């Protein structure tokens, strides 16, 4: 069986739910990992604005949950997720449907 690749997240609201669900299932619920190992995995999965959101936290046992909470408070926003999805629809190329 091939190794499972960890998800990445760059701060697009429309991608947050997929990211956090995968990250929670693969890393956060893994009892064999310490909080510091989970925190390092989290840092390695984040890019761009998402990484900037938690970069100020020092990698410690106590700060892992705080970093997850910060991501949730910033990106788990149904209105912004909806808005980003609608904007993406309007940015799709027009269809040249022949009649």
């Amino acid at each position: 069986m091939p190794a499972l690749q960890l998800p990445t997240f760059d701060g697009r609201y429309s991608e947050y739910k997929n990211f956090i669900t995968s990250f929670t299932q693969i890393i956060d619920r893994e009892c064999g990992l310490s909080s510091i190992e989970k925190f390092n995995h989290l840092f390695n999965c984040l890019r761009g604005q998402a990484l900037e959101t938690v970069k100020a936290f020092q990698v410690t046992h106590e700060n892992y949950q705080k970093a997850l909470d910060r991501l949730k408070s910033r990106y788990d926003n149904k209105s912004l997720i909806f808005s980003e999805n609608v904007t993406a629809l309007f940015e799709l190329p027009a269809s040249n449907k022949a009649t």
Side-chain angles (χ1 to χ4, degrees):
M1 198 167 177
L4 187 60
Q5 185 174 353
L6 293 177
T8 59
F9 179 61
D10 63 6
R12 286 180 286 172
Y13 287 92
S14 58
E15 298 296 320
Y16 173 75
K17 290 287 189 184
N18 286 335
F19 166 75
I20 202 64
T21 299
S22 296
F23 184 82
T24 299
Q25 292 296 318
I26 298 168
I27 299 297
D28 193 51
R29 291 188 179 175
E30 179 58 50
C31 298
L33 295 175
S34 70
S35 292
I36 291 179
E37 290 170 313
K38 292 176 184 182
F39 205 165
N40 279 306
H41 282 299
L42 180 64
F43 269 135
N44 289 329
C45 290
L46 300 177
R47 309 280 183 270
Q49 289 297 102
L51 179 58
E52 293 299 318
T53 301
V54 299
K55 205 173 189 179
F57 289 104
Q58 184 178 15
V59 178
T60 65
H61 169 75
E62 298 80 19
N63 285 342
Y64 171 65
Q65 190 59 51
K66 291 176 185 177
L68 280 179
D69 291 344
R70 172 84 51 93
L71 280 177
K72 182 176 182 176
S73 70
R74 177 161 184 189
Y75 293 105
D76 195 6
N77 183 317
K78 292 177 183 176
S79 296
L80 290 174
I81 291 169
F82 177 77
S83 177
E84 190 174 282
N85 284 326
V86 169
T87 300
L89 287 174
F90 284 107
E91 292 174 352
L92 290 173
S95 174
N96 293 329
K97 193 175 191 181
T99 51

